[in-house]
């Protein structure tokens, strides 16, 4: 409940201010399965227009002393948080707030490495009880995408509850990847695309190559929320806690040097 963390959470959540709470409760889409039939999947549903989202972005930027954008740079939003200030906690709680306030159910966390993926999965485990208390035990499932267990993608798409999937970018970058191959029930990527997931991008500076940007676009995200201390590209920056701000708030270690005297 530190103020700077709540500010970062609210900045992202308020991008969708005006979105009716129950719109996604009955939002369904279709994904093709084997034999040419279609299966219904539970999807996120955004009804706000870009003009409203731009106004919400400008409000957040003004509140956080960021130069106001004159137009949207796509549906991609950057959150800058200095290392060690709780970036992972912030985006996990943002997921819960988006679910509570607007009913969004499908979230994918994309990470650039196995080490970061393990850290995110650990954070999901250790914060489960904390979020159960804060949000009155929402029905929720979180899991690691496993290319050998492609039915997880189907469950993610068809389950009508909060779903959080953690994926390493390399698991779905190349077109020949198993993620895009036919299974006995359909193509996992097609089911994921139909849900219009909110995609959380952890350390996006590692995913700015053309092939990685295209891979994320193939997930058909409702939006991407991008969290890092060292963005190389800032899309629609919505919150900033840079090194100077973190230092001023006493959030990073301070080093003091004694004066030098002549012996």
């Amino acid at each position: 409940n530190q103020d700077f963390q709540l500010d970062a959470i609210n900045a992202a959540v308020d991008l969708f201010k005006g979105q009716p709470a129950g719109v996604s409760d009955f939002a369904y889409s279709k994904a093709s399965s084997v034999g040419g039939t279609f299966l219904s999947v539970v999807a996120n549903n955004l009804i706000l227009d870009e003009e409203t989202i731009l106004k919400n972005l400008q409000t957040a930027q003004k509140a956080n002393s960021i130069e106001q954008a004159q137009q949207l740079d796509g549906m991609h939003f950057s959150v800058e948080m200095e290392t060690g200030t709780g970036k992972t906690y912030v985006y996990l709680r943002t997921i819960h707030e988006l679910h509570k306030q607007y009913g969004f159910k499908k979230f994918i966390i994309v990470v650039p490495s196995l080490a970061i993926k393990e850290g995110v999965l650990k954070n999901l485990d250790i914060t489960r009880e904390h979020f159960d208390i804060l949000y009155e035990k929402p029905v929720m499932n979180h899991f690691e995408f496993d290319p050998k267990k492609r039915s997880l993608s189907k469950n993610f798409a068809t389950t009508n509850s909060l779903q959080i999937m953690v994926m390493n970018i390399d698991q779905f970058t190349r077109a020949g990847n198993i993620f895009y191959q036919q299974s006995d029930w359909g193509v996992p990527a097609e089911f994921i695309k139909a849900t219009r997931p909110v995609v959380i991008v952890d350390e996006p500076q590692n995913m700015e190559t053309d092939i990685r940007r295209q891979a994320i676009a193939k997930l058909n995200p409702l939006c991407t929320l991008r969290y890092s201390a060292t963005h190389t590209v800032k899309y629609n920056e919505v919150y900033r806690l840079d090194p100077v701000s973190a230092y001023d708030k006493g959030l990073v270690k301070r080093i003091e040097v004694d004066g030098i005297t002549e012996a």
Side-chain angles (χ1 to χ4, degrees):
N1 291 315
Q2 298 187 70
D3 288 343
F4 70 92
Q5 292 179 334
L6 296 177
D7 289 343
I9 292 163
N10 291 333
V13 172
D14 287 350
L15 288 168
F16 305 101
K17 186 172 288 186
Q19 168 84 357
V23 170
S24 287
D25 289 345
F26 303 98
Y28 294 92
S29 184
K30 291 182 178 180
S32 60
S33 61
V34 172
T37 60
F38 292 89
L39 294 178
S40 293
V41 302
V42 180
N44 293 328
N45 183 22
L46 179 66
I47 68 169
L48 297 184
D49 56 29
E50 289 191 358
E51 182 180 357
T52 301
I53 293 174
L54 176 59
K55 289 179 179 178
N56 290 340
L57 171 64
Q58 291 170 335
T59 299
Q61 290 174 328
K62 182 178 180 181
N64 292 293
S65 302
I66 298 170
E67 183 179 355
Q68 294 183 43
Q70 298 306 305
Q71 60 185 21
L72 279 181
D73 188 5
M75 285 293 288
H76 310 287
F77 304 93
S78 300
V79 177
E80 179 181 347
M81 295 191 71
E82 180 64 9
T83 301
T85 57
K87 166 175 60 71
T88 304
Y89 173 80
V90 164
Y91 68 63
L92 293 181
R93 186 161 173 178
T94 297
I95 287 173
H96 282 274
E97 282 292 331
L98 290 171
H99 175 62
K100 176 184 177 181
Q101 295 194 34
Y102 309 119
F104 296 147
K105 297 184 176 85
K106 304 304 169 75
F107 296 84
I108 298 176
I109 301 172
V110 178
V111 300
S113 68
L114 293 175
I116 293 177
K117 181 170 70 172
E118 291 304 316
V120 172
L121 292 168
K122 183 66 174 178
N123 270 279
L124 281 162
D125 287 336
I126 65 178
T127 58
R128 181 68 183 256
E129 183 177 356
H130 169 69
F131 289 134
D132 278 349
I133 294 171
L134 284 179
Y135 297 99
E136 300 178 349
K137 293 187 176 181
V139 179
M140 185 195 84
N141 183 37
H142 71 262
F143 61 94
E144 171 188 2
F145 172 75
D146 185 343
K148 296 180 180 179
K149 299 178 181 178
R150 290 187 287 176
S151 61
L152 291 172
S153 298
K154 181 180 178 182
N155 292 338
F156 173 90
T158 58
T159 301
N160 190 21
S161 63
L162 176 57
Q163 300 289 306
I164 303 173
M165 180 163 63
V166 183
M167 302 181 75
N168 187 326
I169 184 68
D170 291 329
Q171 290 180 307
F172 64 99
T173 296
R174 300 191 181 280
N177 191 285
I178 193 171
F179 186 59
Y180 302 101
Q181 296 176 6
Q182 185 70 257
S183 70
D184 57 358
W185 50 265
V187 179
E190 294 301 316
F191 277 70
I192 297 302
K193 286 171 57 177
T195 68
R196 294 202 70 202
V198 173
V199 176
I200 309 291
V201 185
D202 194 330
E203 303 295 347
Q205 70 274 12
N206 296 308
M207 305 184 212
E208 291 295 347
T209 63
D210 287 342
I211 190 170
R212 289 186 166 189
R213 286 199 301 267
Q214 291 169 12
I216 292 173
K218 288 178 181 178
L219 296 175
N220 190 32
L222 180 148
C223 71
T224 66
L225 301 177
R226 310 162 73 84
Y227 292 80
S228 178
T230 55
H231 291 276
T232 53
V233 181
K234 294 181 181 179
Y235 305 85
N236 300 316
E237 187 175 17
V238 66
Y239 179 80
R240 180 189 299 157
L241 181 66
D242 58 22
V244 174
S245 300
Y247 179 85
D248 289 342
K249 294 177 184 293
L251 303 175
V252 294
K253 292 181 179 179
R254 301 169 182 241
I255 298 174
E256 295 185 3
V257 179
D258 287 336
I260 300 173
T261 58
E262 184 176 354

